Amino acid sequence: MPALDWTIDADIRRAATLPAELYSDPRWFEASRRQIFARSWQLVADTDAVRVPGQVHPFTLLEGVLDEPLLFTRDAQDELRCLSNVCTHRGTLVCEHAAVLPALRCRYHGRRFGHDGRFLSMPEFEGAEGFPSPADDLAQVPFGSWGKFLFVSLDPAFPLAELMAEIDARVSWLPLHEARFDPSRSRDYLVRANWALYCDNYLEGFHIPFVHASLADALDYGEYRTEIFPWTNLQVGVASDGEDVFDLPASSPDHGQRIGAYYFWLFPNTMLNVYPWGISVNVVRPLAADRTRVSFLSYVWDASRLDRGAGSGLDRVEREDEAVVESVQRGVRSRIYRRGRYSPTREQGVHHFHRLLERFLRDGGP
Ligand code: FES
Ligand SMILES: [Fe+2]
């Protein structure tokens, strides 16, 4: 492990930014697998993937970082579970394709499991002592949902309810369950930069007037603000005059304001961008210290409001962000640059993220 000689001052007015080597040194990348990604909540699917009893949905948790084979199942009693997808006999993947099945059966030597992960049967094991035992069941993996989104964590450092508490308070009045995935408005971007640089850039609106001319017209930069919560933060996009805004109910803490977008960041690598038309999800998947895949997933509940205001032209904004983040990646390899300072008024979200990285990466946990 590299030397631990850095701190992020709790006072943004005094603090220096993350040391440059954290964005480029493969040893820090390695440490983040165990200390950040295995311990945090990852958005992996939506509930439409497992709608009917008997349905199974295999997936790989964070390909390239954790590569953990997992499985969602819905049993005959309609109960949803997340299980290890690795056969407890000799380690084959139990389920290779999404399907509706009466039980799970490993194709290597025929071990069978229920949708609850329980061992059911296995040929040629008469005489094996102490068999079957609970170790022969498929392990249960912590999971939960918010709206339609399914989150999983191998070893959660905090409950999902804590992660989602503030997001619930702000947008649970929206028709979250009516949102439909729109593949035509979803795509992956390969970014030649560290995952944390991508997040840094997301976490401030400071660069909007410099980098995103089209978005700058839709938002009122003077009113743009960041709110900090324990595991998440929120950038509130106040709309310019004439732009599309939420019809906020009286129960909303923002009632009476002209809000065009809520940009929620969830530690460490999930973004929920909530617009009047629906949600644009960004999942930031690290591939290597200097390579990241960002998935943009659009979930629409009001198609008539697409292509208006801050929630339009997302592909252009993404390409503008990518270019600037890739430029930073080249800069942080410098032998001259080490760290910078924060704007106390415009970079509270970046500071918050770096404080969390300090806790998880430098200190080893929450
Ligand atoms: S590995 Fe699954 S039955 Fe042998
Ligand atoms: Fe941007």
Side-chain angles (χ1 to χ4, degrees), residues 201-214:
N201 175 71
Y202 177 87
L203 288 168
E204 44 91 355
F206 194 10
H207 69 274
I208 292 174
F210 300 99
V211 175
H212 306 301
S214 58

Side-chain angles (χ1 to χ4, degrees), residues 39 96 274 335:
R39 305 224 54 205
E96 288 172 295
V274 185
R335 287 177 176 76

Side-chain angles (χ1 to χ4, degrees), residues 9-46:
D9 200 301
D11 185 340
I12 193 171
R13 294 169 305 172
R14 287 197 294 262
T17 60
L18 209 61
E21 61 265 28
L22 268 90
Y23 301 110
S24 52
D25 189 329
R27 290 175 299 177
W28 284 112
F29 184 75
E30 205 39 56
S32 70
R33 288 179 208 268
R34 204 172 49 252
Q35 292 171 223
I36 295 178
F37 293 102
R39 305 224 54 205
S40 54
W41 290 99
Q42 298 295 322
L43 193 162
V44 291
D46 69 56

Side-chain angles (χ1 to χ4, degrees), residues 17-255:
T17 60
L18 209 61
E21 61 265 28
L22 268 90
Y23 301 110
S24 52
D25 189 329
R27 290 175 299 177
W28 284 112
F29 184 75
E30 205 39 56
S32 70
R33 288 179 208 268
R34 204 172 49 252
Q35 292 171 223
I36 295 178
F37 293 102
R39 305 224 54 205
S40 54
W41 290 99
Q42 298 295 322
L43 193 162
V44 291
D46 69 56
T47 48
D48 287 341
V50 262
R51 282 173 82 165
V52 300
Q55 206 158 4
V56 297
H57 174 76
F59 65 99
T60 305
L61 179 61
L62 272 187
E63 224 159 325
V65 188
L66 298 177
D67 288 307
E68 186 65 42
L70 299 178
L71 178 67
F72 279 116
T73 64
R74 191 180 283 281
D75 71 12
Q77 285 69 47
D78 225 8
E79 192 171 331
L80 197 59
R81 286 187 185 80
C82 185
L83 304 173
S84 165
N85 190 20
V86 179
C87 179
T88 50
H89 176 221
R90 295 224 326 264
T92 318
L93 298 193
V94 176
C95 176
E96 288 172 295
H97 306 285
V100 177
L101 300 170
L104 299 164
R105 181 174 163 279
C106 175
R107 70 186 180 89
Y108 202 179
H109 316 94
R111 184 170 290 196
R112 289 168 65 251
F113 304 91
H115 285 79
D116 56 1
R118 285 285 186 74
F119 171 94
L120 293 178
S121 67
M122 173 95 194
E124 310 293 345
F125 262 60
E126 299 80 14
E129 290 182 17
F131 181 88
S133 79
D136 299 300
D137 298 337
L138 297 174
Q140 308 265 343
V141 175
F143 79 101
S145 61
W146 181 81
K148 297 179 80 161
F149 303 118
L150 292 168
F151 288 82
V152 165
S153 177
L154 292 183
D155 179 20
F158 47 86
L160 181 65
E162 265 181 39
L163 184 73
M164 304 314 293
E166 190 59 33
I167 303 173
D168 252 342
R170 302 305 268 265
V171 297
S172 60
W173 59 273
L174 284 162
L176 302 172
H177 289 273
E178 287 169 28
R180 283 270 167 165
F181 179 60
D182 182 347
S184 74
R185 292 176 184 269
S186 302
R187 61 167 287 197
D188 283 4
Y189 297 87
L190 184 67
V191 186
R192 301 201 160 277
N194 184 272
W195 71 276
L197 279 184
Y198 190 90
C199 294
D200 286 359
N201 175 71
Y202 177 87
L203 288 168
E204 44 91 355
F206 194 10
H207 69 274
I208 292 174
F210 300 99
V211 175
H212 306 301
S214 58
L215 182 57
D217 289 341
L219 293 174
D220 182 340
Y221 184 69
E223 293 294 317
Y224 195 91
R225 64 178 190 267
T226 301
E227 299 179 25
I228 307 290
F229 311 106
W231 312 112
T232 57
N233 64 54
L234 164 63
Q235 296 170 79
V236 181
V238 177
S240 304
D241 288 339
E243 295 290 347
D244 199 29
V245 296
F246 286 107
D247 312 310
L248 294 168
S251 62
S252 161
D254 306 310
H255 182 68

